[in-house]
Amino acid sequence: MASSSIMDEESDLTQQLIVPTPGDNGGGGSVGICGRILNILTCGRSGGGSNDLIKIKPYQELIISPKLYKRSVNCLRFAVFVDAVAGTIEQPNYPIMVSAGDHPDSFPDTSPFGFSAATYFVPMTALLGVAIASLVIGRLSDFKGRKPCLLFCLYGTVVGCILKYILRKSFWPYCAMNFLNGLFSASVPVALAYAGDVNETKREKDAEIGLLVGVSMLGTAGGGIIAILMETQGLFAPLLVGSALALIGALLNTFMLIEPKDILASRSREREMLGLEAEDEDEEDGGVVLPTELNYKVLANILIGALGDNVGSSGLMPLCLSPLAFS
């Protein structure tokens, strides 16, 4: 009878990921939303002693169901989308922002820059922040985990958009906050690393990485569309929409995104239970043998090409938008 009860309990829990429980201090209740977010961002560490930690029981380390895995990946894709939307939601309005007197929301002064220089400078501040963040976020996520770094970017974007809206009356404070917001807009490198972790074959990795890049491009276009649709609401009102979308993405990923190490551990446990060996990646990829050492010459050429492509495309954007301010 007891054995049957235990099996029923385990069967119910297989449809869940990991259910956090309070510390074994005799207290009841559940962990609040703020506590859950803080625990994830601090990688489960707390300064208040062992009783403050969320402890995992042995029976809670179960196999992750395909449904939960799919939900986690979809949340990751949505995070990439909303981060791209929030980062580009003001782009069509940049030329009008720096044209004093052309719109009630325009900056009163952009000294020492003229119109053309200011049109380039505003988006440059955001892109500079993104470039710096992208250089460090990937390595940081290797040590701290993909999920904490992704949530750091999303919640930072929420706060950054709100602060940009508050500082919308002055050119230089807005640009400073635009740079700071760019430092949090680095969800794409983390998402690509996540895709490389959880997909086992090269074919699956390439497909997911391509999809994530496409979702990011879709979000970039979506941000501009939202700004155009909200032109009657003011130049900076889209920032509030971007902040709201980023908050939704952050909350979804807080509760539904699964760390890659948990997914890999689940697959390993499942194969052990079924008596299967690990899949041979070479066979899955048609016999393609992956390199064991990094070719730095090829990597340098790729980086230089990517840098040139981004410089050209980023510089073309304000150049194309500038004539719109004169019409």
Side-chain angles (χ1 to χ4, degrees), residues 187-261:
S187 62
V188 172
V190 181
L192 297 180
Y194 187 102
D197 292 338
V198 301
N199 292 285
E200 298 180 313
T201 68
K202 184 176 182 299
R203 185 181 297 106
E204 292 173 343
K205 292 177 182 179
D206 291 344
E208 184 61 28
I209 289 174
L211 181 59
L212 288 172
V213 173
V215 168
S216 178
M217 295 298 101
L218 183 63
T220 300
I225 292 173
I226 292 174
I228 293 172
L229 294 176
M230 296 184 65
E231 61 178 345
T232 59
Q233 307 300 318
L235 297 180
F236 298 93
L239 287 172
L240 300 179
V241 176
S243 179
L245 289 174
L247 179 60
I248 294 172
L251 291 175
L252 286 175
N253 281 272
T254 297
F255 296 104
M256 297 183 183
L257 187 68
I258 307 172
E259 269 288 353
K261 63 181 181 181

Side-chain angles (χ1 to χ4, degrees), residues 152-176:
F152 177 76
C153 292
L154 291 173
Y155 284 110
T157 298
V158 174
V159 177
C161 287
I162 294 175
L163 292 178
K164 283 166 66 176
Y165 183 81
I166 294 174
L167 299 175
R168 67 189 184 279
K169 298 296 183 180
S170 183
F171 175 72
W172 281 104
Y174 177 86
C175 288

Side-chain angles (χ1 to χ4, degrees), residues 50-62:
S50 60
N51 288 336
D52 295 331
L53 296 178
I54 296 177
K55 297 184 178 180
I56 304 303
K57 305 296 184 183
Y59 67 84
Q60 291 174 328
E61 299 179 1
L62 302 170

Side-chain angles (χ1 to χ4, degrees), residues 88-107:
T88 59
I89 204 166
E90 286 286 273
Q91 278 189 358
N93 296 336
Y94 287 153
I96 307 174
M97 287 181 190
V98 299
S99 300
D102 285 0
H103 191 279
D105 291 340
S106 298
F107 296 123

